[in-house]
Amino acid sequence: MSSRLLHILVDSFPKILIPGLTVTIPLTAISFTLAMVIAIAMALVQFANVRGLKQLARFYIWIFRGTPLLVQLFVVFYGLPDLGIRMEPFPAAVLVFALNEGAYCAETVRAALEAVPEGQLEAGYCVGMTWGQTMGRIILPQAMRMAFPPLSNSLIAMVKDTSLAANITVVEMFRAAEQINATVYEPLALYIEVGLIYLLFSTVLTWVQRAGERKLGAYETQEV
Amino acid sequence: MLEIQNIRKSFGSLEVLRGVDLTVEKGDVAAIIGPSGSGKTTLLRCMNLLERAGSGTMIFDGERFDLSRVSGKDAVRLRQKTAFVFQSYNLFRNKTALENVTEGLIVARKMPKTQAEEIARRALQKVGMLDRADHYPHQLSGGQQQRVAIARAIAPDPEIIYFDEPTSALDPELTGEVLSVMRQLAEDGMTMVVVTHEMGFARNVSSRVVFMEDGGIVESGTPQELFEHPRQPRTQTFLQTVRGPAGKTMEV
């Protein structure tokens, strides 16, 4: 490797990592947190069969799972200004990622809720608890335990998907790498470098997932 | 204390309960026996509002309920006076044995945690499970899980406990430990309605036996009346089937 290339890689490393820590990670964390709120709400209205809300949830999931994430970003950031709705790049990205991820995770949470045996809800009723109390204390905790591995999967996928925000001018890791490349023109080295930093982030999340699963494994789920 | 009048229930076109009447007095241990599919379990589930009856009236503590349209609020209030023990235990899988017992006290009855734990420990002691208080359900045997489920049932001091085939899911060598706990409860004067296949329990522990077939009560009486002198031919046939050729019932 030439010393120039080495110099570029070393020099660019913090310039890519810092937007990673200050933009990619907050973008992922905020969007995913909102996505979880949306997912649990959408899963619950379907599970509880709330008329009207259930159909609304199905419609929302249909739209956001059925169209490309990139298209959704463009509609919100470049399209909505036509209707007078203008957003800064970062909040626009948060909005789209949260809605998109929420649609996928809603299905994960719904499947997990349905996998909790009916007897758990009946047992909750029989000790005198209401539907809401039983959901909150018995059913949802068990469902979230089951949903934890697939939801971790979604989170890891999302870290990488945030690179699409570069297309709506959010200067996250990938756009930072692009900007450096525009001045030094070393695409192979720089794009591999940014790829490795994504790999680093994903690896850390994989460890966190393992630790989380161990912690949650205090009780096993068993069929009775 | 509890009176059921003319309860009917259908699943689709299948009529499971065809107008059942049942009266339970305080301190009664009523055993409901009968062949599979006779509607025993459905009757019990309708009584605790786990199934909505097509029609029927329940009088509980002098209060009258139309079983076909009990409000959610009334259902919660009624269930706080009763307890239910399931065939498949249904312990909360994300809670320890102790938490399984305290949950209904703390969450449903708003009892302070320390008081609830004290009551729960007494209940677990009573069923011989205090040393497993911190175990999760999956760490317990079927018989142990069912004993914890009984502790969960007795802890709030209910007016009546419904048992739905409490030993049917257990290996034969584990049924004894559950039956002896139930026997102890009966001796303590607990009001119980027990759907069971354990003829020994029905005969030796219950104060009254109800024989059901085809969604209706065929005959009921004291264990002696029903087992020694069954009046109805259908009861006689059923008893012969479960006794087998030796004509004996298992002792509990």
Side-chain angles (χ1 to χ4, degrees):
Chain A
M1 195 185 286
S2 72
S3 69
R4 174 183 172 270
L5 192 57
L6 189 67
H7 182 74
I8 287 172
L9 286 176
V10 171
D11 195 42
S12 63
F13 184 76
K15 290 179 186 160
I16 298 173
L17 183 65
I18 287 169
L21 297 174
T22 59
V23 181
T24 297
I25 288 177
L27 179 57
T28 309
I30 298 169
S31 304
F32 197 77
T33 306
L34 292 174
M36 279 300 101
V37 175
I38 296 169
I40 291 173
M42 293 298 132
L44 278 177
V45 298
Q46 291 183 79
F47 186 73
N49 222 336
V50 187
R51 205 175 309 166
L53 288 181
K54 180 183 177 172
Q55 283 70 26
L56 193 72
R58 294 310 310 167
F59 179 76
Y60 151 73
I61 291 165
W62 176 62
I63 295 290
F64 279 89
R65 281 203 312 178
T67 56
L69 181 51
L70 189 57
V71 171
Q72 293 165 15
L73 283 166
F74 274 50
V75 167
V76 168
F77 188 71
Y78 297 113
L80 288 185
D82 283 358
L83 301 176
I85 303 169
R86 261 165 242 283
M87 273 186 271
E88 293 296 311
F90 188 84
V94 167
L95 178 71
V96 171
F97 286 128
L99 286 171
N100 183 277
E101 196 70 12
Y104 283 94
C105 294
E107 290 295 89
T108 306
V109 175
R110 182 176 66 84
L113 282 172
E114 284 170 4
V116 178
E118 182 73 19
Q120 295 287 306
L121 185 60
E122 291 186 347
Y125 287 153
C126 285
V127 301
M129 293 200 282
T130 61
W131 182 86
Q133 288 168 338
T134 312
M135 287 308 292
R137 302 193 50 97
I138 308 297
I139 311 296
L140 253 184
Q142 290 183 34
M144 293 315 279
R145 165 70 186 86
M146 278 187 272
F148 188 76
L151 290 177
S152 305
N153 213 21
S154 299
L155 174 61
I156 291 170
M158 192 180 198
V159 174
K160 296 169 292 162
D161 286 346
T162 56
S163 59
L164 288 174
N167 293 289
I168 60 166
T169 75
V170 176
V171 186
E172 40 64 70
M173 276 208 301
F174 179 65
R175 193 169 175 96
E178 269 189 309
Q179 285 172 346
I180 297 164
N181 184 52
T183 57
V184 299
Y185 199 70
E186 284 293 345
L188 180 65
L190 282 166
Y191 292 147
I192 286 178
E193 184 175 34
V194 71
L196 287 173
I197 299 176
Y198 277 112
L199 185 62
L200 175 72
F201 284 8
S202 303
T203 307
V204 171
L205 281 175
T206 309
W207 291 337
V208 171
Q209 177 186 350
R210 293 234 179 90
E213 281 181 25
R214 264 200 300 278
K215 193 169 181 316
L216 288 168
Y219 67 91
E220 309 273 315
T221 50
Q222 66 159 9
E223 285 306 315
V224 281
Chain B
M1 192 197 99
L2 169 70
E3 195 177 340
I4 302 280
Q5 294 166 347
N6 199 24
I7 184 167
R8 290 178 181 277
K9 169 75 183 172
S10 300
F11 293 111
S13 61
L14 181 71
E15 202 175 14
V16 191
L17 295 175
R18 306 162 191 261
V20 173
D21 299 314
L22 185 72
T23 306
V24 182
E25 300 296 343
K26 195 164 167 40
D28 266 359
V29 177
I32 304 178
I33 60 170
S36 296
S38 56
K40 312 180 295 285
T41 290
T42 307
L43 173 64
L44 208 62
R45 288 172 59 83
C46 285
M47 286 163 76
N48 213 24
L49 310 169
L50 291 174
E51 303 282 353
R52 186 173 289 264
S55 66
T57 307
M58 174 157 79
I59 302 163
F60 195 103
D61 280 349
E63 207 181 340
R64 205 177 183 89
F65 298 93
D66 178 348
L67 286 175
S68 65
R69 45 173 162 210
V70 178
S71 70
K73 226 175 169 175
D74 279 344
V76 170
R77 198 162 54 82
L78 253 176
R79 291 198 197 104
Q80 291 195 2
K81 299 182 184 182
T82 68
F84 199 101
V85 175
F86 296 87
Q87 180 178 354
S88 51
Y89 338 126
N90 290 352
L91 290 183
F92 303 130
R93 301 184 305 179
N94 57 330
K95 305 277 175 191
T96 62
L98 184 75
E99 290 166 345
N100 261 278
V101 184
T102 57
E103 194 70 7
L105 302 173
I106 296 171
V107 180
R109 291 169 185 80
K110 311 288 176 223
M111 193 182 279
K113 193 173 176 215
T114 48
Q115 191 190 347
E117 285 184 349
E118 196 182 310
I119 291 174
R121 284 182 197 285
R122 271 207 303 274
L124 286 171
Q125 176 137 47
K126 187 151 195 176
V127 301
M129 289 297 294
L130 189 55
D131 57 332
R132 298 278 193 280
D134 296 326
H135 286 52
Y136 283 92
H138 76 98
Q139 297 167 315
L140 302 172
S141 74
Q144 290 174 330
Q145 289 190 52
Q146 195 61 300
R147 279 149 65 199
V148 173
I150 293 174
R152 178 171 73 176
I154 61 176
D157 196 19
E159 296 183 31
I160 186 167
I161 306 181
Y162 303 111
F163 291 83
D164 181 17
E165 303 190 20
T167 57
S168 296
L170 296 173
D171 292 336
E173 72 269 24
L174 299 178
T175 58
E177 65 187 61
V178 171
L179 288 173
S180 71
V181 167
M182 290 170 63
R183 186 188 193 120
Q184 183 60 47
L185 288 182
E187 282 167 8
D188 294 350
M190 176 61 77
T191 311
M192 298 157 67
V193 178
V194 185
V195 168
T196 185
H197 292 296
E198 294 288 339
M199 292 304 133
F201 180 86
R203 186 177 187 143
N204 303 320
V205 182
S206 69
S207 57
R208 209 150 59 85
V209 184
V210 176
F211 173 64
M212 276 184 80
E213 195 175 64
D214 281 337
I217 292 177
V218 176
E219 183 170 354
S220 75
T222 64
Q224 203 187 1
E225 284 167 356
L226 203 114
F227 283 100
E228 307 299 334
H229 312 288
R231 292 186 307 268
Q232 301 293 330
R234 285 199 283 171
T235 316
Q236 291 161 5
T237 313
F238 174 74
L239 288 175
Q240 264 159 23
T241 319
V242 294
R243 273 175 186 158
K248 282 187 194 158
T249 51
M250 228 173 70
E251 293 301 314
V252 183

